[in-house]
Amino acid sequence: MTTTPPALTPDHALARLPELTVVDVRTPGEYASGHIPGAHNVPLDALRRALPALRAAHGELVLVCASGARAENARAVLAEHGIPAATITGGTRGWAERGHALHRPRGTSRTTWAMERQVRLTAGALVLAGIGLGQLHPAWLLLSAGVAGGLVFSALTDTCGMAAVLSKLPHNRPRATDLDATLAALGSTRD
């Protein structure tokens, strides 16, 4: 049995894909916009619920997200519970940049933006609203200042409160049946 290092390059992961269990920890909308072929979608906020299925999964676990940050957070959670896992350097973005195919399910008429893009749009809109409303009353400028402070805090702590809030929107949430089916599929892949 090959031991998986903490991180695999996209090329190394592609070469070993048949023996790996890839778990994409992005939101369902992000996952639907394009994911590594064969990847299972278990959003980061549902990871603890998925621990039994992940423990029972066949093959070595590899976690992936858009860029690698959420996958690394997921890897730390799994390590706390004694479940070894690796990540893919650069995430799905790095995978695609290397020219590897992403699976895009048929019938997905509208793709959800990546969480990072949703955060940038929301932060920018709030800053502009604060500046615009600040022309009516200076207290509204605090909205822009609050967003700026949140962005600085986010960078310093490598967390994102705005992403946590946006992940609760309906288009970013898994349907219970989707997550249940994923967990069942992970649990049934055991030898």
Side-chain angles (χ1 to χ4, degrees), residues 152-168:
V152 170
F153 179 78
S154 176
L156 293 174
T157 62
D158 198 23
T159 62
C160 187
M162 189 177 292
V165 171
L166 291 173
S167 72
K168 304 296 184 205

Side-chain angles (χ1 to χ4, degrees), residues 102-190:
L102 290 175
H103 176 70
R104 291 180 173 85
R106 290 182 186 179
T108 308
S109 60
R110 174 178 67 88
T111 60
T112 301
W113 287 357
M115 185 56 65
E116 181 182 326
R117 188 174 180 191
Q118 292 180 50
V119 167
R120 289 193 313 255
L121 173 70
T122 304
L126 288 172
V127 167
L128 287 175
I131 291 170
L133 291 169
Q135 302 301 311
L136 300 174
H137 193 282
W140 281 106
L141 293 173
L142 293 174
L143 177 62
S144 298
V147 171
L151 290 171
V152 170
F153 179 78
S154 176
L156 293 174
T157 62
D158 198 23
T159 62
C160 187
M162 189 177 292
V165 171
L166 291 173
S167 72
K168 304 296 184 205
L169 293 175
H171 65 275
N172 285 326
R173 302 290 308 151
R175 294 188 318 251
T177 55
D178 292 344
L179 184 58
D180 291 341
T182 298
L183 297 180
L186 281 168
S188 69
T189 59
R190 187 176 189 132

Side-chain angles (χ1 to χ4, degrees), residues 49-127:
R49 177 178 169 207
L51 289 173
L54 293 170
R55 186 172 279 113
H58 170 72
E60 298 173 60
L61 284 177
V62 177
L63 306 167
V64 67
C65 64
S67 65
R70 285 179 279 177
E72 188 55 42
N73 290 341
R75 191 172 81 77
V77 169
L78 293 183
E80 290 172 9
H81 291 88
I83 303 171
T87 61
I88 297 177
T89 55
T92 53
R93 192 174 304 129
W95 178 273
E97 286 170 359
R98 295 291 301 156
H100 304 316
L102 290 175
H103 176 70
R104 291 180 173 85
R106 290 182 186 179
T108 308
S109 60
R110 174 178 67 88
T111 60
T112 301
W113 287 357
M115 185 56 65
E116 181 182 326
R117 188 174 180 191
Q118 292 180 50
V119 167
R120 289 193 313 255
L121 173 70
T122 304
L126 288 172
V127 167

Side-chain angles (χ1 to χ4, degrees), residues 1 14 24 71 84 101 107 119 130 183:
M1 182 171 171
L14 177 64
D24 192 320
V119 167
L183 297 180

